Structure formats: C-alpha cells, structure tokens
Amino acid sequence: MSLVDLCLQGLAVFGFILFGVLWLMHFMSIIYVRLHLHRKRSEVKGQMAGVSLLKPLKGVDPNLISNLETFFTLDYPKYEVLLCVQDQDDPAVDVCKKLLGKYPNVDARLFIGGKKVGINPKINNLMPGYEGAKYGLVWICDSGIRVKPDSLTDMTNQMTEKVGLVHGLPYVADRQGFAATLEQVYFGTSHPRSYISANVTGIKCVTGMSCLMRKDVLDQAGGLVAFAQYIAEDYFMAKAIADRGWRFSMATQVALQNSGSYSIGQFQSRMIRWTKLRINMLPGTVLEPVSECFLASLIIGWAAHYVFRWDMMVFFMCHCLAWFISDYIQLTGVQGGALCFSKLDFAVAWFIRESMAVQIFLSALWDPTISWRTGRYRLRCGGTAEEILDV
C-alpha cells in the first residue's frame, strides 16, 4: 500500500471520528439546554450567603442605565453593588450617581480611579471594589449584562458545598436589527455547543461575563492582582479555582448580553479577538475550523465518498441541513421561548455566521495583537500579554 493510500485512509478515519465527536456535541448541548436551562428555582436553598457584585464600567451605551438598574432591583436581601469606573470624566459616573440617588436603600458604592496592578484594564478597574468587598462571594458581571429579579438567587443556589465558581451561559437579549440576530444566532448555536459540551465532559470552559466566585479561594490564588498580567483573566481565574479542587456549576439562567451598541463589524472584531486569545492559551484551538459546519461537512462528505462511494455533494448538503435543523432546535432551547425573528432571518444569519467562521480564524492567525477597550496588546504564548505603547 502506497503512502498516498495510507494518508487517504487516515483522512477518512479522521472524517468518521469527526462526525461522531461533532454530533455527540450536538446531542449533549441540546439535551443539556432542555434539561437544565430556564428552570424555576427562585427559592433560596439553605443559609443565605452575602454577595459582593463587582461592575466594571467604561462609557455609556443606550442600554447601560436599564441594564444596571436590574441589579438594583434584585430579589435578594444580602448583597452589595460595587460600581467601578476608571476615569472621573467617564459619562458612566453620572449614570451611577443617578442610580445611587434613585435607590438609596440599596447597599451600593461607586469607586472611581481604579488601581494599576497589571496590563488588564478590567482588573485595574475592579481592584478598589474588590479590596472593599465585604462578603465571601464575589459576582463579577460585565456592564452589558441585564438580569431578572431572581438571577442572583439562581446563582447562589448553584454554589453548593464543593462548588467554587458559578457561571452563566452567554446569550443575547432580543434586540432590533440584523446584527442583533447574527449575535443571537451565534450565542444560541455554535458557542453553546462548544461551551456546554466542554463543561459536561469535565473541561473547564468559562467566560467572565457573569461569574460568582468564592473570594477566599481567589485570595488563596493571589487575589485579582494575580490575574492582571492576562487579557483573558476569566480563563486563568477559573483555572486557579479548579486547580484547588473546586467544582464549577452553570446557572439555570443565561448571562443575557444587552449592549446598546452593536454591529456586524463589532461582532466580527470580537470573534477575532476571542480566537486570538484561545490560540495563545490553548494550542489545540488550531483545530477549531474543522468543528464548523461547512468545513466539517466537506471532510465528512469526502470520507463517506471514499469509503462508501456515496455522492459527496449530496452528503454535504444533507449534512449541512441536519446541522442547520439541530442548531435551530438548540437556539429555541437557549432562548427559552419564542424567537424575535423569523425562520428566514435565522437561515440568513446562520449561513452568514457559518461562512464567516474560517475567515475569522485566518484573521486571528494573521495578526497576534489585539485592541481591547482603550489599549493595544501583543499576546504571548501561554496567555500573557504586553501593552503596546505609542511612541
């Protein structure tokens, strides 16, 4: 047997393994979404724990005040809101003062100025609030997130004896426009498929959009300062907690992103930035493109043709259709109700998102620097970074 034949056989075996792995991920994520998400658990279980909410804020978008206000109306009697703004002149300061005046009975404080402890601007911003936190649980939650009155109860209920971190599955609130539909399709299909499958199989996959953590465990790892050298601080905070023997749990409610500033360009830039970070932290990320629908369908279709002599293009089309249907089923499960767009809108957004996947990955490989907030950073292998200063 020639070397070429061996390579072809190896590629065919890879195609069938890929088929099994990807459809296992599909089924795991769909079943998990149906069984775990959007379950009513508003009652407090056991002794109530105090929570310090850390809110990193920079700038104002049309939805900021309405998003922030949902944290002032939580149905949870023992928590504090710690609003962190880097610059005195930031318009977010006025939004914070307005809410502090509107809800005087809520235990809330405003911290301005931050504390420079590393290259990560989010950590620098949060440092004064973290140092002033008075409760044993800290909830770091991005400015674009909105919550329901029982969201904190849901998260604390998941913080059982052996759990050190509770995270929310990232999703997107209903908003108007095609860019909003594109985001919702991505965060309801491709992202949760990988995110949920990783967590179900024991791989620690966490995003820092909404994370409830034990403060004493973070302090054992060095506090927030220990993670200021990284841009993807959420990954390394989760790793530090896992390394100390603590488990993770996912909230039954999604982490609902509701930014008032969004576009297709912003979505694409965000995906490129995330891919760059994953490539630097996890070398296995280079295999990500084969987990996307079109490329995976081509590889699997070729394997089916090579072994069974099936028509490759017919198999490719059927496989893409099955993928499309399973993604729609998963999206409706993550949504937990009726979608705000039509099936045609979903089909167009799904096709465009899948078509962008390989281009996003190649763009991430092309340039190792990222722009985030007000800075530019050069990534290093292992997840650390250095700030690029303009001379």
Side-chain angles (χ1 to χ4, degrees), residues 44-49 76 78:
V44 177
K45 296 181 180 179
Q47 186 176 2
M48 191 174 300
Y76 195 86
K78 193 177 180 182

PDB file of all heavy atoms in Angstrom, residues 44-49 76 78:
ATOM      1  N   VAL A  44     -34.653  30.337  47.941  1.00  0.00           N
ATOM      2  CA  VAL A  44     -33.292  30.236  48.445  1.00  0.00           C
ATOM      3  C   VAL A  44     -33.118  28.895  49.147  1.00  0.00           C
ATOM      4  O   VAL A  44     -33.934  28.512  49.975  1.00  0.00           O
ATOM      5  CB  VAL A  44     -32.961  31.388  49.415  1.00  0.00           C
ATOM      6  CG1 VAL A  44     -31.563  31.232  49.983  1.00  0.00           C
ATOM      7  CG2 VAL A  44     -33.102  32.719  48.706  1.00  0.00           C
ATOM      8  N   LYS A  45     -32.071  28.161  48.805  1.00  0.00           N
ATOM      9  CA  LYS A  45     -31.793  26.870  49.413  1.00  0.00           C
ATOM     10  C   LYS A  45     -30.721  27.021  50.474  1.00  0.00           C
ATOM     11  O   LYS A  45     -29.634  27.498  50.214  1.00  0.00           O
ATOM     12  CB  LYS A  45     -31.318  25.876  48.335  1.00  0.00           C
ATOM     13  CG  LYS A  45     -32.370  25.557  47.277  1.00  0.00           C
ATOM     14  CD  LYS A  45     -31.827  24.552  46.285  1.00  0.00           C
ATOM     15  CE  LYS A  45     -32.861  24.213  45.224  1.00  0.00           C
ATOM     16  NZ  LYS A  45     -32.339  23.237  44.235  1.00  0.00           N
ATOM     17  N   GLY A  46     -31.011  26.602  51.692  1.00  0.00           N
ATOM     18  CA  GLY A  46     -30.025  26.651  52.753  1.00  0.00           C
ATOM     19  C   GLY A  46     -29.788  28.065  53.274  1.00  0.00           C
ATOM     20  O   GLY A  46     -30.572  28.989  53.043  1.00  0.00           O
ATOM     21  N   GLN A  47     -28.661  28.233  53.958  1.00  0.00           N
ATOM     22  CA  GLN A  47     -28.327  29.519  54.546  1.00  0.00           C
ATOM     23  C   GLN A  47     -27.937  30.524  53.465  1.00  0.00           C
ATOM     24  O   GLN A  47     -27.182  30.224  52.559  1.00  0.00           O
ATOM     25  CB  GLN A  47     -27.179  29.352  55.539  1.00  0.00           C
ATOM     26  CG  GLN A  47     -26.856  30.626  56.305  1.00  0.00           C
ATOM     27  CD  GLN A  47     -25.779  30.393  57.338  1.00  0.00           C
ATOM     28  OE1 GLN A  47     -25.250  29.288  57.450  1.00  0.00           O
ATOM     29  NE2 GLN A  47     -25.446  31.427  58.096  1.00  0.00           N
ATOM     30  N   MET A  48     -28.487  31.719  53.588  1.00  0.00           N
ATOM     31  CA  MET A  48     -28.255  32.747  52.574  1.00  0.00           C
ATOM     32  C   MET A  48     -26.847  33.336  52.730  1.00  0.00           C
ATOM     33  O   MET A  48     -26.418  33.695  53.816  1.00  0.00           O
ATOM     34  CB  MET A  48     -29.299  33.847  52.732  1.00  0.00           C
ATOM     35  CG  MET A  48     -29.341  34.835  51.603  1.00  0.00           C
ATOM     36  SD  MET A  48     -30.727  35.951  51.834  1.00  0.00           S
ATOM     37  CE  MET A  48     -32.080  34.783  51.819  1.00  0.00           C
ATOM     38  N   ALA A  49     -26.127  33.429  51.608  1.00  0.00           N
ATOM     39  CA  ALA A  49     -24.768  33.967  51.629  1.00  0.00           C
ATOM     40  C   ALA A  49     -24.768  35.387  51.077  1.00  0.00           C
ATOM     41  O   ALA A  49     -25.478  35.692  50.115  1.00  0.00           O
ATOM     42  CB  ALA A  49     -23.840  33.082  50.802  1.00  0.00           C
ATOM     43  N   TYR A  76     -33.014  39.754  46.364  1.00  0.00           N
ATOM     44  CA  TYR A  76     -32.017  39.053  47.169  1.00  0.00           C
ATOM     45  C   TYR A  76     -31.606  40.006  48.291  1.00  0.00           C
ATOM     46  O   TYR A  76     -31.092  41.097  48.019  1.00  0.00           O
ATOM     47  CB  TYR A  76     -30.813  38.671  46.307  1.00  0.00           C
ATOM     48  CG  TYR A  76     -29.897  37.652  46.935  1.00  0.00           C
ATOM     49  CD1 TYR A  76     -30.138  36.294  46.803  1.00  0.00           C
ATOM     50  CD2 TYR A  76     -28.784  38.053  47.677  1.00  0.00           C
ATOM     51  CE1 TYR A  76     -29.290  35.349  47.368  1.00  0.00           C
ATOM     52  CE2 TYR A  76     -27.937  37.122  48.250  1.00  0.00           C
ATOM     53  CZ  TYR A  76     -28.195  35.777  48.091  1.00  0.00           C
ATOM     54  OH  TYR A  76     -27.357  34.847  48.678  1.00  0.00           O
ATOM     55  N   LYS A  78     -29.284  40.173  50.683  1.00  0.00           N
ATOM     56  CA  LYS A  78     -27.966  40.346  51.279  1.00  0.00           C
ATOM     57  C   LYS A  78     -26.896  40.447  50.190  1.00  0.00           C
ATOM     58  O   LYS A  78     -26.183  39.493  49.905  1.00  0.00           O
ATOM     59  CB  LYS A  78     -27.666  39.167  52.216  1.00  0.00           C
ATOM     60  CG  LYS A  78     -26.470  39.382  53.139  1.00  0.00           C
ATOM     61  CD  LYS A  78     -26.323  38.190  54.072  1.00  0.00           C
ATOM     62  CE  LYS A  78     -25.138  38.382  55.017  1.00  0.00           C
ATOM     63  NZ  LYS A  78     -24.946  37.205  55.904  1.00  0.00           N
TER      64      LYS A  78
END
